[in-house]
Amino acid sequence: MKKELHLTNDVSQVVALGEWIERLGEELALNPADVFQLNLALEEAVVNVMNYAYPGQTDMPIVLSVSADEGADGIVFRLTDNGVPFDPTRAEMPDVTLSAEERNIGGLGIFLVEQLMNRVAYEREGESNVLTMEWKRKSD
């Protein structure tokens, strides 16, 4: 299965993202906890792109694609934008041992994505940022 969701850098479209993930969960027969986990990780990644990839610009494209083989335990998501080059996997990880008051602002988003996904990788393809996120169904 291969699907794409086309969005722009408008945070009001996060609702459409959630609905898309819900439908995907139904098609792949995922349990509600897995759908919640995927929604949390993907929403964090997409909102970061919406907020930072296109400073001062509106209606700019963001594409989230998914591929999963029927019966396979793994799902691969690719988040693509043509914004400012940025590798979130190289961002400094927050010190989660510190209290919220002591921590620097930012950095928790990619930390969360990396905790919820099995693999996260970034590459610059031509003029595009591509964040690949792999998720594997946990065995019961």
Side-chain angles (χ1 to χ4, degrees):
M1 172 222 300
K2 292 189 187 317
K3 292 182 175 279
E4 284 188 349
L5 175 65
H6 293 262
L7 302 166
T8 63
N9 59 331
D10 178 350
V11 291
S12 70
Q13 293 187 357
V14 170
V15 173
L17 171 66
E19 293 168 349
W20 186 78
I21 294 167
E22 287 287 331
R23 285 191 304 275
L24 181 67
E26 290 171 8
E27 290 176 34
L28 295 173
L30 300 176
N31 69 50
D34 289 340
V35 173
F36 177 80
Q37 180 181 22
L38 288 173
N39 191 29
L40 189 59
L42 294 171
E43 182 178 313
E44 187 61 47
V46 169
V47 168
N48 280 342
V49 171
M50 288 176 168
N51 287 334
Y52 302 112
Y54 301 104
Q57 297 176 294
T58 57
D59 295 321
M60 301 305 291
I62 299 168
V63 178
L64 179 62
S65 64
V66 60
S67 60
D69 294 330
E70 193 169 326
D73 290 336
I75 305 171
V76 178
F77 297 93
R78 283 176 48 101
L79 180 59
T80 306
D81 67 81
N82 298 323
V84 175
F86 178 68
D87 181 353
T89 66
R90 292 181 162 250
E92 185 176 326
M93 286 295 119
D95 184 349
V96 293
T97 63
L98 297 175
S99 70
E101 294 80 24
E102 296 174 304
R103 259 194 315 260
N104 291 329
I105 294 174
L108 283 175
I110 190 63
F111 174 78
L112 179 66
V113 172
E114 288 181 337
Q115 296 301 305
L116 295 173
M117 295 292 185
N118 293 87
R119 188 177 88 80
V120 178
Y122 168 86
E123 58 189 324
R124 184 78 178 170
E125 293 181 358
E127 296 296 313
S128 298
N129 293 303
V130 179
L131 187 66
T132 301
M133 299 164 281
E134 295 179 13
W135 180 85
K136 290 191 171 124
R137 193 183 310 240
K138 288 148 186 72
S139 51
D140 298 322

